[in-house]
Amino acid sequence: MIKIREQIRDIIINNYIKEGKDPFDSIIGQENAKRQILSSLISGRNILIIGPPGTGKTTLAKNIAKLLPEIDFPEGIPLWAYEEFPFVSEEYRKKWREGPFIKIRGEDRFIRIQGSYDLSVEDLIGDIDPSKALKYGIHSLESFIPGKIFRAHHGVLFFDEINRAPPKVQNSLLELLEEKKITIGTYEFQIPLDIIFIATMNPESYYGTEKISDVLLDRFDIINLDYPKDIEEEKKIILKYGKSLDVNFPEKLLELTIEFIQKLRKDDKLERKPSVRSTIGIYEKAQALAIIDKKENVEIQHIFESLLSILPHRIRLKPSYKMEINEEEYVKNQWNSFIIGKDFRS
């Protein structure tokens, strides 16, 4: 089977670049980031996407998986139990030779690992179950409990918020990133893996993150994402991904809402800024409130109500300002100051 990195390279070049198409057309904006990701995929390199929450990191990674071609896989065999796997039994190897086979799409070979402080190396790699090893043998498929890394074979391994994983877990990835192989526990043999590795992380200033070692960073191409560059770009994202309910959201009010959110992102009092998910949430909730009030149009009070529900827990004031005010009062004050002199009539 052709290596997955070679497949994605050929698909990008032949199906998109030569045809002048955007393989990530579901992502609005972020043109430089998309260009850098394409160059990393073509050259077969590991990718680390850095950006605040809600900037499209996960969406980009899922888009890459959708580019992958379908593969033929023996029916009834777990996806991680590929033919070259050392624990695969002769019965399974026979299925690999004779079938029957089923088609597996690229998006079904997208495996996500969520970084967290309690993530263990065994969660990623897997381990041998001692009781089953006594019954079936140490090299039997039944004795092995696979981690998520093996489930991504012939697909995309997406490690979300890698800098929330403890250092021991981060270090366990070095062999995979450098050699495309994994050693299980204390066993000496290495198991080859055919994957595209994509990781994301929030900026290191975010709460609950661990520092990424220079040795690990050296295995990645770093791609930076940021918030939408202007009101028009963010409006396109909201209208594409936000739910439109049975009520009108006046364009002027929508632009006013986006302008307010973008103003907050520039405020140096905040250490955590409102994401695009916040704007989408306000867009959806304001419509719902208008429906409750039996209004045909979203009105300014619906936006204000939505702000107080959506924003306070999605932003964080810097410690030096928390002594003076909490996040809810901050949102109220900022909004009241912002709308002074604004024409928000339809």
Side-chain angles (χ1 to χ4, degrees), residues 13-31:
I13 292 174
N14 296 322
N15 296 8
Y16 291 92
I17 292 177
K18 288 183 178 179
E19 299 293 328
K21 298 176 182 177
D22 180 4
F24 307 128
D25 57 2
S26 64
I27 305 294
I28 296 170
Q30 308 288 3
E31 298 304 325

Side-chain angles (χ1 to χ4, degrees), residues 2-195:
I2 301 173
K3 295 291 185 184
I4 200 70
R5 291 176 179 235
E6 297 173 10
Q7 290 181 23
I8 197 77
R9 179 197 64 202
D10 293 342
I11 287 168
I12 289 170
I13 292 174
N14 296 322
N15 296 8
Y16 291 92
I17 292 177
K18 288 183 178 179
E19 299 293 328
K21 298 176 182 177
D22 180 4
F24 307 128
D25 57 2
S26 64
I27 305 294
I28 296 170
Q30 308 288 3
E31 298 304 325
N32 183 62
K34 290 194 282 188
R35 175 181 171 85
Q36 295 306 319
I37 287 173
L38 284 175
S39 65
S40 295
L41 290 172
I42 291 170
S43 55
R45 299 174 63 79
N46 305 310
I47 296 171
L48 174 60
I49 306 173
I50 301 178
T55 47
K57 300 188 293 294
T58 303
T59 305
L60 266 171
K62 286 182 176 179
N63 267 241
I64 293 168
K66 287 180 180 179
L67 296 177
L68 299 177
E70 290 183 337
I71 61 171
D72 292 317
F73 204 86
E75 188 174 12
I77 294 184
L79 189 58
W80 59 271
Y82 55 93
E83 189 175 11
E84 302 88 355
F85 197 83
F87 300 147
V88 170
S89 65
E90 183 54 38
E91 177 190 354
Y92 274 14
R93 293 189 195 281
K94 183 178 179 182
K95 286 187 177 182
W96 267 103
R97 294 190 297 268
E98 300 176 3
F101 295 92
I102 58 173
K103 298 284 186 184
I104 301 181
R105 302 174 303 169
E107 51 262 49
D108 295 328
R109 283 137 50 210
F110 176 86
I111 302 300
R112 178 173 181 158
I113 299 169
Q114 186 61 51
S116 66
Y117 72 93
D118 58 349
L119 190 68
S120 70
V121 174
E122 288 73 25
D123 292 331
L124 267 63
I125 297 175
D127 207 351
I128 305 297
D129 185 320
S131 61
K132 290 184 177 179
L134 287 172
K135 181 177 181 180
Y136 298 107
I138 198 167
H139 288 162
S140 71
L141 197 65
E142 290 82 3
S143 302
F144 181 60
I145 305 170
K148 284 196 171 183
I149 283 177
F150 290 106
R151 300 176 190 274
H153 187 62
H154 293 320
V156 172
L157 181 62
F158 176 64
F159 201 132
D160 193 24
E161 299 190 271
I162 192 172
N163 60 335
R164 292 192 186 277
K168 188 174 182 179
V169 170
Q170 293 181 25
N171 291 335
S172 72
L173 297 169
L174 294 175
E175 181 184 25
L176 174 65
L177 295 176
E178 185 67 25
E179 301 180 39
K180 304 300 176 289
K181 296 177 181 177
I182 279 291
T183 303
I184 301 174
T186 58
Y187 295 96
E188 294 182 359
F189 55 82
Q190 291 180 309
I191 301 174
L193 282 162
D194 181 22
I195 64 171

Side-chain angles (χ1 to χ4, degrees), residues 278-310:
S278 301
T279 325
I280 291 173
I282 295 163
Y283 172 72
E284 294 176 343
K285 194 174 184 70
Q287 292 177 78
L289 290 168
I291 290 171
I292 291 170
D293 290 344
K294 300 178 181 178
K295 301 287 187 180
E296 293 182 358
N297 300 293
V298 171
E299 298 177 357
I300 194 73
Q301 66 267 22
H302 300 135
I303 295 172
F304 178 63
E305 251 187 285
S306 301
L307 290 172
L308 296 184
S309 173
I310 299 292

